[in-house]
Amino acid sequence: MSGRRLAELLTATETQTPQGGQAVSYEPLGWVWIRPGTRRRRERTEAGVMRTIEMMRVETRADPRLVAGRVLRFDGDDWTVVAVDTDPARPGRVHPDVERRP
């Protein structure tokens, strides 16, 4: 992927249902311009089950709202932010690592 995309930044809120389950809703925090990197896939074992995880590193301007656990929604997919690295060569830029389960 190349070019910039406008992504919606969301925070997940979990609530307990009357039946004892959990419901997740997403509250919008705003919008950020991102430059998506190359998508990579890998398999990860969670609780004895093999799952495919799609990962990507994006570039954007530094924003204090970009923290691990938040969600970036763009191109019709929800990507969870797992880490945010600063770019020492380019002050004011960060590289969030995001992942999703296809």
Side-chain angles (χ1 to χ4, degrees):
M1 294 184 155
S2 63
R4 293 182 342 151
R5 306 253 189 320
L6 187 60
E8 186 174 14
L9 182 62
L10 307 161
T11 185
T13 304
E14 294 182 5
T15 56
Q16 190 157 354
T17 65
Q19 295 80 18
Q22 288 197 345
V24 178
S25 61
Y26 295 96
E27 297 179 22
L29 297 175
W31 298 87
V32 293
W33 282 101
I34 62 169
R35 185 179 314 273
T38 304
R39 292 182 185 208
R40 302 176 319 271
R41 285 183 179 235
R42 77 175 206 184
E43 293 181 348
R44 179 184 293 168
T45 303
E46 295 177 355
V49 177
M50 186 71 77
R51 296 179 188 247
T52 300
I53 305 293
E54 197 167 22
M55 302 174 303
M56 181 186 331
R57 177 168 267 213
V58 300
E59 178 184 334
T60 187
R61 293 189 186 271
D63 189 328
R65 300 173 300 169
L66 276 171
V67 296
R70 299 261 166 97
V71 174
L72 287 173
R73 181 176 287 164
F74 61 98
D75 292 343
D77 296 318
D78 289 349
W79 295 81
T80 303
V81 177
V82 293
V84 180
D85 296 326
T86 59
D87 189 342
R90 299 179 67 197
R93 299 281 179 173
V94 294
H95 296 278
D97 291 321
V98 295
E99 67 182 28
R100 74 179 189 97
R101 290 175 174 81

